[in-house]
Structure formats: C-alpha cells, structure tokens
Amino acid sequence: MRLKTSLAAAGLTAALILTGCAAGGASTNTNSSEPGAALTIAKPDGAITTESHNPYLGDSSASKYGYAKVMFEPLALVNPTGDLGTTPWLAESVEWNEDYTQLTVVPRSGVTWSDGTDFTADDIVFTFEQYVSGALTDSAGLKIEDITADGDAITITFADSKYTAQARVLHTPIVPKHIWENIADPNTDPLTDDGLAVGTGPYVLDNWSTESVTLTANPDYWGGELSVPALNYVSYGDNAALTTALVSGEADWAQAFIPQIESSYLSADEHNQFLVSPTAGAGTLFMNLQTKPFNDPALREALAWTIDRQAYVDIAREGASEPVWNVTGLGELLEGEVIDEYKGVDYSVDVDKARQVLTDAGYTWESDTLIDPDGEAVSFSISVPAGWSDWNTEQALLAEELDEALGIEVKVDQPDWGGWDAARQEGTFQAIIHWLEDTGNAYGLYTSTMDPKWIVDDKAAFNFGRFDDPKVTDALNTYANAASDEDRQAASAVLQTAFAEQVPAIPLGAHPLLGEFNTRNYVGWPSEDDQYASADPTQPGIVQVLTQLEPAE
C-alpha cells in the first residue's frame, strides 16, 4: 500500500497555488494586510551557543532549535499522523515505481530562493547528487544510484526499496545549487558567511544570538503572504522553565511532555491548547527473549493479558497517547493494515485468562508467588533511565499490576542514560521500555521487535530481545522490497501471525507527537478533528501549519 496523498493536503496545495504561489510573489491576503504578532517557538534544551544554519547537521543550531525546517523545504511532506498522507511541496508531483526503487518528481514552478534566484530542477538534481558524489555523508541511508532528468521530470534511482523510508527521502532538505556548489565541505560548513543561509522556505534568517534566533516572513514566498510576520526561537533550561514561559505568554509554541498539563498549563488561559498526535510508533515493553523468564512465550502472553494499557495512557502518559490492544501490536492509526483474522482480536486486562495460560504451561503459585515449571519464583527487573517521568511512572504501574495479578516481583531499575544504553545494546537487561522505528506503516513495529538486521557485532540498535525466526526475517524483507501490494500483504500476514502467537514485545500506547500552542493571536492550528499535520514545531510539517494560520478575530 503506497502512502496516501491526503485529500485535505491536496486541497491545501491547490489553495496555495490559487493564492499566488505559481507566480512566485506574495498574494493579496486581507487577513494579513496589517502586521500581526510574532510567534515565539520554545525548546527545553538549554543554551545553544554555536551558530550554524546547515540543515544537514543534527547538532547545528538550525537543527537544535528547529528553524532549519522553515528555511529549507523538502520535496513533499509525509504526515506522521492523521491520514499518513503525502503532500507535494517543492515538487508539484511525486510518484514511486512499483517496488519503490525509483522516485519521479516534477519541481514546482514559480518558486524562488530567498535571494531572488529561480528554483529549478537543477537544484533538486544537485541536492541528491551530493550523496552520489560523496560530498554529503549518506547518514540517512538513501543509497542513491542514479539521478536523471527528462524535461521537467527528475528520476532518482535507489539501490533498494524505499517503501519503508519514503519520508526519509521526501523530507531531504533541498538546497540552492548556485550557492552550495561553491561550499568546500557541506558536511561541516555552518553557512554563517553572508549570503549562504538561503532557502525557499516561508521564513528567512534575520538575527542570531545565543539567547534567541529571529526569522522574518519571506516576502516572496511561493505559498503566498504569511499571517505571522516573524518567528522567535528560544531555548529554556528545562521543561519547568519552558512551562512557565508558555503559561506567562512569553512563549507561544512548543513540543514538550508537561506533567499535570491541565493544572499547570491548560487551566491558566482558555487560549492555551495541547494537541496529542498519535503516530505509527508506540512506547513498547521489550523483553530479553534469551534468558528467563522471557524465554517462555507463555509467560510473555500472560503479561500481555495482564498489563493495563489504558492505565499507561491515563496515568503514565497523562492522556497523551492512545492504548494499543490488538494482538498484532498495531495501533489505531494502522488498523487498516490488520489482516481479517485479527481484526477486533484484542487483549484486555483479563487476569483469569493470564492465569490459565500460565497454568497450562506448568506454572503454579506458592503463597501468591508465581513459580515457574523449574520450581523457581518468577521475578524480573524493568529498566528506564532516571528522570524519564512518564516511563518511570509506568515502571511503578507494571510492578503493582503484575504483583497483584500474577504474583510476579518486578524490580524497578532507573540507571543513568549511559548504563541503560549499554544494557539495551548488549542484551544484559531483563525488560526495558523503548520506542519503535516509525516507518508510517506496520513494518516499523515488526522490524523493531523481530528483525535480526539490527544486531551488529552483538550489539542491538533495535530488536533488543534478539528475536530470530528465518520465516519472519524473509517476510520482513518481502514487506520492505515487494513490487506489489499483494506480496506485501502476504508478508504482513506472516508478521502479524508471528507477533500474535509469539509475543516478542508488548506495545503499550501510541508514541505521540505533542504540541503546545495558544490561539490568542492566530487560528488554523491542527486539531483532533483535523490533523493535517502535528502541532510539533520541530517536524517538517511546521511549514504547512504556518501557511494555514490566520489572525484570530
């Protein structure tokens, strides 16, 4: 199944064209004829002291603050939530071949770079040829083999299928050839010299300091005139300082997990808003399948019938998630991929069922303590770094649930990041809570939990439980590389069956993108009813949100 082109997104693109983007100039927008208020976008990452506007560097200030996203635009925007649709952006159209080894795009006409130079197909070709030539390190694993142009159409050929990495390709920042061809090392250049920080985006750099960064609206933006005249990017020391700034109105827009958000933020002002956007990923309990007690599928299944996913959502995540109950591990966003055999086949909190599974497998109880078939008391530790407040809360919930329901002693382990990271890689843990690789489809869950490709030199990047089944591995490869929807669906059936029968991991709740914002000055934000993008200002979809905002009446 190809990523869908969102109807709403297509409508947005059409609207942008009608408002003057084809001519490359600003359109007449009666709602924004007078200057409005700037928006302050905040992060809780502490001081960002080194100036760098390079969109390819993860540690550049442009990446850390997130302002690279409003300067350098991609070919298309892949919505990680809502309908998971694809909206052409700098490309007027995007089309994949059947096995997703070739992408053909047509560049949008009427677009200019912020220095006034016309945007052309040459800029797209140049951007991707940097990876082919080795000028740019291919850290995203694009594996481009060839780029060809035929009239307005550009075709990019990859060494392998990009079905599960469409967003990674389409979100590549496009840069101007006339500037970047003169940059000696695009992997390191900070773009701080005059005239280098040039993009097609809705905002241009105005001022940079160690305290804040200001960008102003691009007057010649192809998407038309913008309601928000300026963006101020600020980084606070921690979530507490960020929350204070949001409540006071010092900051307008942020992405953060705020404990007790109703009392600490939402109730402070009726205009304060919080949007939770579920993604295809999930907070997941990973179990070490190589050692007791998790080398027994019956024990894992019993846990799946005991763990309260709704408590995870309501208490640990304070509502900022949605539970994952289906036995395939797929959440609501991907329910369309669930095969008929498992539609509506869900776990629940059913202690009697869990105890029967254990009894059938030879477990017994002594003084309310679960005893395994070898005569040993069942216990294990669950590890999450100290300070990860939501998952630390879930640790306590799991310990209580499993002790009361099954007589399992769960020891709560909260090491520092380094100790936790080493244990998850080396397989020296018993259980951890972790995120999944989010590919926007079912592959993300199954590769994260069952794919041996992640184990390199005996260290795991995912599949921390070290699951290994040749039939499942073949199905994963087929899913990722299939040339037809039928082949991919057949592979998905193998994966779903294996996950339901062997319970290699237990997804708890959808991993969300979070956004805090206020409607004092602007409306048109994404909402629960219209998740055309997430409200997370660090995501590529921020450009889509900014084109939708209008002054509040």
Side-chain angles (χ1 to χ4, degrees):
M1 180 180 70
R2 299 189 182 189
L3 283 177
K4 304 181 291 286
T5 298
S6 161
L7 294 178
L12 168 65
T13 303
L16 289 171
I17 294 171
L18 291 173
T19 57
C21 67
S27 66
T28 301
N29 184 336
T30 57
N31 287 330
S32 59
S33 57
E34 296 183 3
L39 283 178
T40 296
I41 300 172
K43 295 191 74 179
D45 300 337
I48 298 174
T49 59
T50 303
E51 181 179 7
S52 174
H53 314 304
N54 192 322
Y56 298 117
L57 304 182
D59 62 352
S60 70
S61 58
S63 297
K64 288 181 176 179
Y65 275 117
Y67 63 84
K69 300 290 194 304
V70 301
M71 294 176 62
F72 299 94
E73 296 184 298
L75 295 174
L77 298 171
V78 179
N79 192 355
T81 188
D83 66 359
L84 304 177
T86 297
T87 303
W89 206 250
L90 278 184
E92 290 185 351
S93 64
V94 296
E95 183 67 31
W96 293 93
N97 68 347
E98 287 300 316
D99 65 0
Y100 290 80
T101 57
Q102 284 190 334
L103 171 67
T104 300
V105 301
V106 175
R108 187 174 297 282
S109 61
V111 178
T112 59
W113 294 98
S114 56
D115 64 358
T117 304
D118 288 340
F119 163 77
T120 70
D122 288 344
D123 296 307
I124 298 175
V125 171
F126 172 81
T127 294
F128 287 99
E129 278 188 340
Q130 291 180 105
Y131 294 107
V132 177
S133 68
L136 268 179
T137 302
D138 189 12
S139 57
L142 300 183
K143 299 179 182 178
I144 299 170
E145 288 192 331
D146 190 32
I147 306 168
T148 59
D150 183 7
D152 290 335
I154 301 162
T155 299
I156 306 171
T157 301
F158 303 90
D160 54 19
S161 173
K162 296 304 170 191
Y163 179 79
T164 63
Q166 294 174 63
R168 201 183 309 161
V169 174
L170 295 174
H171 288 168
T172 301
I174 305 301
V175 296
K177 176 183 178 181
H178 67 283
I179 290 176
W180 283 67
E181 64 186 353
N182 298 315
I183 293 177
D185 187 356
N187 289 296
T188 61
D189 197 300
L191 305 186
T192 51
D193 290 345
D194 288 344
L196 294 187
V198 171
T200 60
Y203 291 83
V204 296
L205 187 67
D206 180 63
N207 182 67
W208 195 98
S209 75
T210 56
E211 286 76 36
S212 65
V213 181
T214 299
L215 295 94
T216 55
N218 180 353
D220 297 315
Y221 183 52
W222 64 268
E225 191 171 350
L226 297 145
S227 295
V228 181
L231 304 175
N232 299 316
Y233 283 82
V234 179
S235 184
Y236 293 89
D238 52 33
N239 271 359
L242 174 58
T243 302
T244 299
L246 286 167
V247 170
S248 68
E250 183 180 285
D252 300 298
W253 193 1
Q255 170 270 323
F257 180 77
I258 300 177
Q260 301 174 335
I261 192 168
E262 178 64 42
S263 60
S264 63
Y265 170 66
L266 294 176
S267 63
D269 189 326
E270 65 179 359
H271 294 101
N272 289 347
Q273 304 291 317
F274 176 51
L275 182 63
V276 178
S277 300
T279 69
T284 298
L285 180 68
F286 280 83
M287 300 161 284
N288 190 333
L289 311 183
Q290 305 305 306
T291 62
K292 293 178 67 173
F294 298 118
N295 58 351
D296 183 358
L299 188 281
R300 304 197 297 265
E301 182 185 356
L303 264 57
W305 283 107
T306 306
I307 294 171
D308 189 346
R309 282 74 152 183
Q310 193 63 53
Y312 168 78
V313 171
D314 294 342
I315 301 174
R317 292 290 306 171
E318 298 188 25
S321 184
E322 59 184 26
V324 177
W325 289 106
N326 192 266
V327 297
T328 64
L330 300 177
E332 184 177 339
L333 206 61
L334 295 176
E335 61 184 0
E337 289 203 48
V338 177
I339 61 176
D340 290 343
E341 180 180 351
Y342 293 118
K343 287 187 183 298
V345 181
D346 298 336
Y347 290 113
S348 62
V349 178
D350 189 338
V351 176
D352 290 340
K353 172 74 171 177
R355 283 179 166 256
Q356 188 60 57
V357 168
L358 291 170
T359 299
D360 292 345
Y363 289 77
T364 58
W365 280 266
E366 292 181 6
S367 301
D368 295 328
T369 297
L370 181 64
I371 306 299
D372 70 20
D374 295 328
E376 298 177 350
V378 177
S379 68
F380 63 88
S381 65
I382 180 169
S383 182
V384 171
W388 291 17
S389 58
D390 51 344
W391 286 354
N392 292 156
T393 300
E394 178 61 12
Q395 288 176 290
L397 289 174
L398 290 171
E400 181 179 354
E401 291 166 2
L402 297 177
D403 180 32
E404 291 184 358
L406 301 180
I408 297 174
E409 179 189 20
V410 178
K411 302 170 186 175
V412 172
D413 178 34
Q414 295 182 1
D416 61 20
W417 161 265
W420 182 77
D421 179 44
R424 67 173 178 157
Q425 290 189 56
E426 296 165 6
T428 56
F429 67 94
Q430 287 187 289
I432 59 173
I433 302 174
H434 202 281
W435 56 90
L436 302 175
E437 174 89 342
D438 182 8
T439 60
N441 45 47
Y443 181 82
L445 166 65
Y446 299 131
T447 187
S448 296
T449 58
M450 300 191 292
D451 199 337
K453 78 174 185 180
W454 296 106
I455 315 298
V456 179
D457 295 330
D458 205 33
K459 290 188 175 181
F462 277 108
N463 187 18
F464 303 106
R466 286 169 161 72
F467 181 95
D468 192 354
D469 181 330
K471 291 182 180 179
V472 170
T473 302
D474 287 345
L476 283 164
N477 292 334
T478 299
Y479 188 104
N481 297 288
S484 71
D485 287 345
E486 292 75 16
D487 288 347
R488 187 169 289 108
Q489 289 164 1
S492 185
V494 173
L495 299 174
Q496 292 181 45
T497 299
F499 197 89
E501 292 181 350
Q502 301 190 53
V503 197
I506 302 176
L508 303 170
H511 186 70
L513 294 171
L514 308 177
E516 292 89 8
F517 56 91
N518 66 67
T519 56
R520 285 188 289 274
N521 296 312
Y522 298 101
V523 296
W525 301 89
S527 66
E528 288 187 6
D529 295 329
D530 184 13
Q531 298 223 26
Y532 63 85
S534 78
D536 180 345
T538 69
Q539 296 295 309
I542 184 176
V543 291
Q544 199 166 359
V545 176
L546 288 164
T547 60
Q548 291 279 14
L549 294 184
E550 296 179 354
E553 295 182 0

